[in-house]
Amino acid sequence: MPNLVALNKYLAGPVLSEGWKEMNRGITTQYCQLDHHANYITSLAANGKDIAIGSGDPNGQLFFVKDKMDRLETQVQTQLNTPIYSLDWRDKRLLVGTNQCTVRLYDTQRQQDGRVEIQLMDKYQSVHMPDAFDAPPGRFQRNSHVPCVEFHPENHDLFLSTVLSMVEVWDVHRSQRSARSVDPDGETLNVARWCTAQPCVMAMAGNSGALHILDTRATENRGLAWQVHAAHARPITDAQFNPFVPYWLATADETGTVHVWDLRTSVHKPMATVSGHFGPVTSMSWGNTRPERLVTTSADGSYRLWSITDNQIGGLEDLYLLGSRQVFRSAPEWLKRFEADNFEQRWWESTMGPEPMLREDDLDTDELDTTTWGTERVLLARGFGIGEWGRYDVGQIYGPGRQRSHGPVVKCATSTVRPGLSYCVTQSGQLCSQFFCPAFQSSLDIPHA
């Protein structure tokens, strides 16, 4: 029975024989349907209390939503007349990745009535745009989409974009040509991310399944400082640096698997693995209250909140190893808890905006515990499923807010102004705010061997 409990916790599901009626879900959800005609939603970006959502249809629908804490309210809907494949929004600047290897930069202004108006500032088209796209045998079909754009964490005059097999770094004041371009392995790239704590470091990954870490200060080996050529067996769909621990990097792939890497080590193996989805992982986002919290969304129509922990069995493979006594469970060195002293101040400064919005019950002092962990590593850390939403075609939904997802969940983003809050959106335009409830932690953490 303890192993069955562990397996169900890994799948973020209750166990009927363990008193599931008393088990609370770890998240509460608010819903907002953007438009009944919204389709092919591809991207989401959060900027304070505002959310921008883009559509990949030919009209390029762009929605602006206001988070009013008690509800989500759609304020503006406009059309860019070009498909939208990626978004990033910092201060008053909005980046839009479109087709034809082109990125658009918009200026956003809030009017007196609360609506957001946008004005095109410039366009940035890659000089590497080919005249035609071929499809050689054994390789993925290329296209002119820009699947990822992101502002530099410190200097918002710089941004990166992924086009074809390259990452390009642009200066917003120079639209003729990118300041730098890197082609790590010749395969199509799906994602590139700056490291928030070390802005000179960048992660790149794509269809080859390889993971590349670039140091923009280096010139040797094109600046590639750390690589794993077989990080995943299938194309990598997303990558995210941890905002608390700069050398932790999470990557996700089309098999529904998430790996967490420690970039300090020369042993290029993941230190943790989460594989609870039934479809490709479409996006990820680290939490803003603790370093081990991770949000994932999937094409199976689900949103999941995980806690990366050693005290967890990660599926049938781990059950077999434990049952055959080939390994023993204990905590790895890297997962020692951070000191409780000044913990709240550290995460606040690293993840929250200057004017965070809080309710009285948002924080729970029990979260800042001083539990100690062992030091011997013998099993990969796994993900404990704190909460789940969606799963439009699988199983029963437990807990409050039983509305199912309307199709694949395509994108998620963590709030920069409210601790414990994140957003996700489905392909059909169903926007949700997901709030982690600290008071539910004791009910969720069912002890097991």
Side-chain angles (χ1 to χ4, degrees):
M1 180 56 67
N3 285 343
L4 177 61
V5 175
L7 183 59
N8 276 265
K9 286 177 65 176
Y10 179 66
L11 297 175
V15 183
L16 300 185
S17 60
E18 291 288 328
W20 61 269
K21 291 183 179 179
E22 286 74 32
M23 181 176 179
N24 293 304
R25 289 181 58 208
I27 55 175
T28 57
T29 306
Q30 291 181 343
Y31 308 94
C32 173
Q33 181 63 44
L34 298 177
D35 187 276
H36 292 293
H37 301 290
N39 54 31
Y40 196 24
I41 299 298
T42 58
S43 49
L44 177 151
N47 184 22
K49 301 178 183 179
D50 296 305
I51 309 161
I53 299 167
S55 168
D57 66 12
N59 295 325
Q61 297 182 81
L62 183 62
F63 302 88
F64 290 96
V65 180
K66 184 76 171 182
D67 185 350
K68 296 193 173 181
M69 295 191 71
D70 59 340
R71 68 185 188 279
L72 298 170
E73 184 178 285
T74 303
Q75 295 188 321
V76 179
Q77 177 182 349
T78 186
Q79 293 185 354
L80 304 185
N81 297 319
T82 184
I84 301 171
Y85 298 110
S86 54
L87 292 171
D88 193 24
W89 193 4
R90 305 288 177 89
D91 299 330
K92 295 182 179 181
R93 290 176 172 176
L94 176 67
L95 280 176
V96 179
T98 66
N99 57 5
Q100 303 299 313
C101 298
T102 301
V103 179
R104 295 187 178 189
L105 177 63
Y106 289 88
D107 177 64
T108 62
Q109 295 291 337
R110 181 167 295 282
Q111 306 302 309
Q112 293 183 351
D113 58 2
R115 296 184 301 110
V116 176
E117 289 191 356
I118 62 173
Q119 182 177 1
L120 180 64
M121 297 177 62
D122 215 333
K123 296 181 181 181
Y124 307 85
Q125 185 174 32
S126 174
V127 297
H128 304 288
M129 170 75 178
D131 296 329
F133 291 93
D134 56 0
R139 301 185 68 178
F140 291 92
Q141 171 69 54
R142 294 190 176 188
N143 56 50
S144 65
H145 301 174
V146 180
C148 183
V149 291
E150 187 174 71
F151 281 108
H152 191 275
E154 295 180 351
N155 183 2
H156 294 173
D157 285 339
L158 298 177
F159 70 89
L160 65 77
S161 64
T162 55
V163 293
L164 305 173
S165 61
M166 297 187 179
V167 174
E168 297 188 320
V169 180
W170 295 84
D171 185 328
V172 297
H173 304 295
R174 299 177 181 178
S175 60
Q176 292 79 17
R177 191 179 181 90
S178 61
R180 181 171 183 175
S181 61
V182 179
D183 184 346
D185 58 18
E187 294 289 341
T188 300
L189 291 177
N190 298 322
V191 61
R193 302 291 183 193
W194 299 103
C195 178
T196 305
Q198 298 287 337
C200 59
V201 176
M202 179 195 307
M204 304 171 288
N207 287 348
S208 67
L211 173 61
H212 309 277
I213 305 300
L214 175 73
D215 188 336
T216 57
R217 301 167 299 182
T219 57
E220 185 179 356
N221 193 28
R222 296 173 296 163
L224 296 173
W226 198 91
Q227 299 182 80
V228 184
H229 295 289
H232 290 261
R234 294 289 296 168
I236 296 175
T237 56
D238 199 5
Q240 295 287 345
F241 280 100
N242 190 298
F244 300 97
V245 187
Y247 45 82
W248 285 7
L249 174 68
T251 57
D253 68 14
E254 289 184 349
T255 67
T257 300
V258 175
H259 290 326
V260 181
W261 307 84
D262 187 335
L263 302 184
R264 299 173 302 172
T265 177
S266 60
V267 179
H268 294 171
K269 299 292 183 181
M271 66 181 192
T273 297
V274 177
S275 55
H277 284 288
F278 294 92
V281 175
T282 53
S283 70
M284 299 181 301
S285 181
W286 289 98
N288 58 15
T289 58
R290 293 193 66 89
E292 71 272 15
R293 299 251 167 85
L294 179 67
V295 168
T296 59
T297 62
S298 173
D300 66 8
S302 67
Y303 161 105
R304 287 191 170 191
L305 175 62
W306 307 90
S307 179
I308 307 298
T309 174
D310 75 299
N311 190 27
Q312 179 60 47
I313 292 176
L316 297 179
E317 180 183 358
D318 283 1
L319 289 176
Y320 170 76
L321 294 175
L322 290 167
S324 61
R325 299 184 180 276
Q326 296 183 29
V327 297
F328 298 92
R329 302 183 64 193
S330 62
E333 176 71 23
W334 57 264
L335 202 54
K336 287 184 176 179
R337 293 282 180 104
F338 286 80
E339 300 84 1
D341 297 339
N342 302 320
F343 184 86
E344 180 177 337
Q345 180 180 359
R346 287 205 305 275
W347 69 251
W348 194 281
E349 293 177 351
S350 64
T351 62
M352 293 291 102
E355 297 180 0
M357 55 181 185
L358 290 169
R359 296 194 305 196
E360 293 182 357
D361 57 347
D362 275 0
L363 296 178
D364 184 2
T365 55
D366 291 340
E367 286 289 280
L368 305 180
D369 60 81
T370 56
T371 304
T372 59
W373 298 66
T375 59
E376 181 185 2
R377 178 177 182 180
V378 289
L379 270 184
L380 282 181
R382 301 291 184 173
F384 161 35
I386 296 177
E388 178 190 35
W389 171 82
R391 292 181 68 180
Y392 64 95
D393 61 351
V394 181
Q396 176 64 41
I397 303 299
Y398 296 87
R402 299 182 178 218
Q403 182 175 347
R404 293 178 181 271
S405 59
H406 301 162
V409 185
V410 295
K411 194 65 69 173
C412 64
T414 301
S415 172
T416 59
V417 294
R418 185 179 178 190
L421 183 69
S422 60
Y423 305 101
C424 68
V425 65
T426 66
Q427 193 176 63
S428 59
Q430 186 183 20
L431 175 65
C432 302
S433 66
Q434 311 281 5
F435 179 67
F436 169 66
C437 308
F440 289 177
Q441 182 67 43
S442 59
S443 300
L444 288 163
D445 193 12
I446 302 174
H448 59 274

